[in-house]
Amino acid sequence: MADLEQARDWLTQAKSVAILTGAGISAESGVPTFRGAGGLWKDHKAEDLATPEAFARDPRLVWEWYNWRREIIAKAAPNPGHKALVQIEIRKPRFTLITQNVDGLHDMAGSGKILKLHGDIWRMHCLDCKANFPNRRVPLPKMPPHCACGGMARPGVVWFGEPLPEGMMKEAEHAASSAEVFLVVGTSAAVYPAASLVPYAKQAGAKVIEINTEPTSMSKVVDCVLQGPAGELLPKLL
Ligand code: OAD
């Protein structure tokens, strides 16, 4: 596969690498993606649940969805795709992993520098005292859960219509614009501003490599498309 060899060459030669991951990298760990087959939960789309409006309307429903995802993720382990990214990080002097995933599987695999653009499903945020605290309880005994202060807690994730954690997008843009190789793995690239990092890296001169089981809106923008499962293709790039 000539494309694979080309991608491996670019990656081997690069000193600075940035990577953007999405739900597809965790698919082979058994975590459902948001779009495409299996993306619905009880007929609800992610866009209908992951919003401040949905939470204000029905916090219990939104928490039931996150509780369902937490139960699945708690049983999941990093796959060879997550592990390959750790090996790339070890080999490169300048490396940034940018993820849209909230599942914590990159941490569990051993990745060091991770920009979690969309937060962390294992954290909660108190709507009253504003505390941000870890919580790994699975299943949640009571929904919605509450903070020690008595206030209602929300998931520690970024919802549609909300800004990303302060400064994080800037850091991601800096990594994308200074990378010689930018890898885009397992994301439909449908959610902004995360998806904007792909053309951003390309315009700044990076070789952009996409790994996905399906073509995406970015496939025509990138320099090289590797079609297939991330857990199989990423180890072949090492
Ligand atoms: P999506 O569900 O939109 O896209 C997952 C992508 O992974 C699709 O393009 C699939 O083709 C691809 N895919 C599936 N299995 C794969 C595999 N084994 N190897 C490689 N690729 C595979 O997920 P994201 O792009 O991550 O945000 O979605 C972005 C954001 O939308 C999420 O962070 C979440 C969601 O709503 C919030 O909740 C705010």
Side-chain angles (χ1 to χ4, degrees), residues 21-25 27-28 33-36 46-47 50 65-66 100-102 118 157-160 185-191 211-216 228-231:
T21 63
I25 195 166
E28 289 153 87
T33 58
F34 296 98
R35 292 167 189 82
E47 288 89 339
W65 180 52
Y66 280 102
Q100 299 165 86
N101 298 348
V102 298
H118 293 165
V157 302
V158 177
W159 284 330
F160 289 102
V185 185
T187 175
S188 59
V191 173
I211 296 183
N212 201 304
T213 45
E214 307 284 337
T216 74

Side-chain angles (χ1 to χ4, degrees), residues 51 105 107 111 134 142-143 156 159-160 171 179 185-186 192 198-199 203:
T51 71
L105 292 180
D107 308 65
S111 283
K142 193 169 147 262
M143 285 180 273
W159 284 330
F160 289 102
E171 219 181 309
V185 185
Y192 285 77
V198 182
Q203 277 152 26

Side-chain angles (χ1 to χ4, degrees), residues 67-157:
N67 182 58
W68 172 74
R69 290 194 68 89
R70 282 163 61 110
E71 285 187 299
I72 295 169
I73 295 164
K75 292 190 202 111
N79 66 57
H82 297 103
K83 291 177 189 166
L85 300 192
V86 179
Q87 292 310 311
I88 299 174
E89 179 171 13
I90 289 168
R91 292 172 194 190
K92 299 298 169 187
R94 290 189 299 286
F95 177 91
T96 305
L97 175 57
I98 306 157
T99 189
Q100 299 165 86
N101 298 348
V102 298
D103 56 29
L105 292 180
H106 285 306
D107 308 65
M108 211 191 278
S111 283
K113 185 171 180 194
I114 312 171
L115 298 179
K116 294 183 187 175
L117 293 183
H118 293 165
D120 188 332
I121 204 168
W122 300 115
R123 297 192 74 85
M124 293 185 183
H125 181 76
C126 176
L127 296 176
D128 280 359
C129 75
K130 313 295 179 208
N132 186 291
F133 54 96
N135 178 303
R136 294 196 75 92
R137 194 85 185 264
V138 170
L140 287 165
K142 193 169 147 262
M143 285 180 273
H146 285 77
C147 170
C149 82
M152 192 196 289
R154 59 163 279 179
V157 302

